[in-house]
Amino acid sequence: PKYTAGIAAAAILAFSGAATSAMADPVKLRISTPAVDSDWHAKMLTVFKDELEKQAPGQFDVEIHLNASLFKQGTEPAAMQRGNLDMAMISAQDIAKQIPAWSVFTAGYLIRDPQHQRAVFHSDIGKEFYQMVADDMNIEILDVGYLGTRELDIRGDKKIETPADLAGVKLRMPGSDAWLFLGNALGANATPLAFGEVYTGLQTGTIDAQDNPLPTVKAAKFYEVTNQIVLTDHLVDAVFLSMAKSTYDELSEDQQKLVHEAAEKATAYNNENRIADEAKLLDFFKEQGLKVYKPDVDAFRKKVQQDYLDSEFAKDWPEGIVERINAVK
Ligand code: KDO
């Protein structure tokens, strides 16, 4: 009779439903980054992966692709938006290409230090700016990581004191308008090049200089092909550990909570190690025979800040945002 058959069918459905979820394939999370394996933001991805495996065994399959082997530097947001990539560590410069207001975080000499960076992005400012990325780019930012404070790393022995001393210096920057603007604001001749080509560029002399945080100068071995490090401290840089919304929305609420928690563990690990490293690395570079010195940082700050305030970028900054960022303790 129908009644019994109905029950049997429902029971079978319920059973197969349970069986399916118990045996469900783990959620694959493919992450792409240009980072090299010994850099802290590459290692933090392993912390993220390990944490998910510990908290939810068998639920996630995190695949980490380093050295831009999966997607070219800067193409990760579009890859996530097309549904071809689940996760990446994106920069404010990447985001500013699609959301001009974000260019405020590409400005030199605005964020003061790593602690200020974290406080800004964990305040209402961070909430507002992350919401723009979710709404306009379909990307969920899980957390901010400190990439480090960018310094100049130069071939040759010409002493650099002020922006004028960088005139004609071919300074490699990552390839986007926001990055090139920063290089030119420093007084140099900014030229775009992907991260993976910087070592050879310096070695062969197609570029004279590059800028990166000290832990990256070490990890990517740029110190082998340069002669001086000029401590301009021009950008307290960030990477945003992010997930495609199409992937994020497929997760259960519990799983969403887990990925946020794992991201926080990962960025905490990165920040702690990177900050400790930055303090120690000056000696390492000196031992490698490089000159390491502070230029007239006030002269750089004054020119860079003025260039940004006078720029087209500043017209897209939300009213009062610079003052709000400055006010964060
Ligand atoms: C770089 O290309 O100089 C840069 O530091 C830019 C960052 O936004 C980020 O892409 C980083 O490279 C890579 O993660 C490699 O460390």
Side-chain angles (χ1 to χ4, degrees):
K2 262 189 167 167
Y3 183 64
T4 332
I7 287 189
I12 288 166
L13 275 179
F15 175 75
S16 66
T20 315
S21 78
M23 298 185 303
D25 287 338
V27 182
K28 185 160 225 164
L29 297 177
R30 290 195 315 161
I31 314 179
S32 179
T33 174
V36 295
D37 64 352
S38 63
D39 212 340
W40 295 110
H41 60 311
K43 291 189 186 176
M44 91 173 179
L45 297 176
T46 305
V47 173
F48 176 79
K49 176 184 163 85
D50 290 350
E51 185 61 20
L52 285 182
E53 268 160 27
K54 188 169 124 202
Q55 298 301 335
Q59 285 191 41
F60 296 95
D61 174 11
V62 181
E63 249 183 36
I64 303 167
H65 298 268
L66 304 177
N67 304 307
S69 57
L70 199 56
F71 286 97
K72 276 197 205 150
Q73 182 179 31
T75 65
E76 302 92 342
M80 288 195 278
Q81 289 168 306
R82 284 195 308 267
N84 293 338
L85 178 66
D86 305 298
M87 290 183 66
M89 294 184 283
I90 61 179
S91 64
Q93 291 79 2
D94 292 329
I95 299 170
K97 282 191 218 164
Q98 296 188 47
I99 307 178
W102 262 81
S103 66
V104 69
F105 294 114
T106 70
Y109 298 107
L110 176 61
I111 299 290
R112 297 188 295 266
D113 53 48
Q115 186 278 330
H116 184 223
Q117 177 184 74
R118 198 152 184 86
V120 166
F121 287 105
H122 284 232
S123 73
D124 285 345
I125 300 173
K127 278 199 199 102
E128 290 161 29
F129 276 76
Y130 289 3
Q131 194 60 48
M132 293 178 206
V133 177
D135 293 343
D136 300 352
M137 291 176 70
N138 272 310
I139 289 175
E140 177 80 16
I141 293 181
L142 300 178
D143 203 5
V144 60
Y146 173 54
L147 187 69
T149 299
R150 298 182 82 96
E151 318 287 5
L152 295 176
D153 177 25
I154 310 182
R155 280 161 51 100
D157 55 9
K158 183 183 176 198
K159 183 131 199 246
I160 306 299
E161 277 297 326
T162 67
D165 297 326
L166 287 174
V169 170
K170 258 193 172 186
L171 170 64
R172 172 272 169 180
M173 300 298 288
S176 82
D177 290 351
W179 279 117
L180 295 171
F181 188 90
L182 176 61
N184 290 323
L186 288 165
N189 212 340
T191 169
L193 197 65
F195 183 79
E197 290 162 40
V198 174
Y199 185 97
T200 314
L202 289 167
Q203 194 175 36
T204 59
T206 54
I207 51 172
D208 305 315
Q210 69 92 27
D211 86 308
N212 254 296
L214 299 181
T216 299
V217 175
K218 176 161 190 240
K221 300 192 163 58
F222 296 147
Y223 65 88
E224 292 180 351
V225 284
T226 50
N227 309 96
Q228 40 172 332
I229 288 177
V230 186
L231 300 167
T232 44
D233 290 349
H234 54 272
L235 184 68
V236 176
D237 206 2
V239 279
F240 298 88
L241 185 57
S242 305
M243 190 178 279
K245 258 213 153 283
S246 53
T247 305
Y248 185 78
D249 290 343
E250 297 270 299
L251 304 179
S252 69
E253 262 179 47
D254 279 352
Q255 288 176 323
Q256 291 180 344
K257 200 165 157 260
L258 286 172
V259 297
H260 279 283
E261 285 166 3
E264 271 171 41
K265 282 242 155 90
T267 57
Y269 163 89
N270 166 80
N271 291 17
E272 200 178 296
N273 284 294
R274 198 176 282 282
I275 291 166
D277 231 11
E278 282 185 323
K280 285 188 297 214
L281 280 174
L282 298 181
D283 284 339
F284 169 80
F285 294 123
K286 285 180 194 159
E287 281 157 26
Q288 300 299 314
L290 280 82
K291 285 211 178 84
V292 183
Y293 60 93
K294 267 222 173 294
D296 181 350
V297 176
D298 284 341
F300 279 100
R301 182 182 297 111
K302 215 168 144 213
K303 175 171 185 318
V304 169
Q305 287 183 339
Q306 198 56 52
D307 280 12
Y308 274 94
L309 289 174
D310 295 342
S311 72
E312 289 295 310
F313 294 122
K315 295 184 182 148
D316 292 314
W317 297 352
E319 186 80 39
I321 190 67
V322 171
E323 293 74 12
R324 283 177 70 201
I325 293 168
N326 286 339
V328 174
K329 290 271 178 310

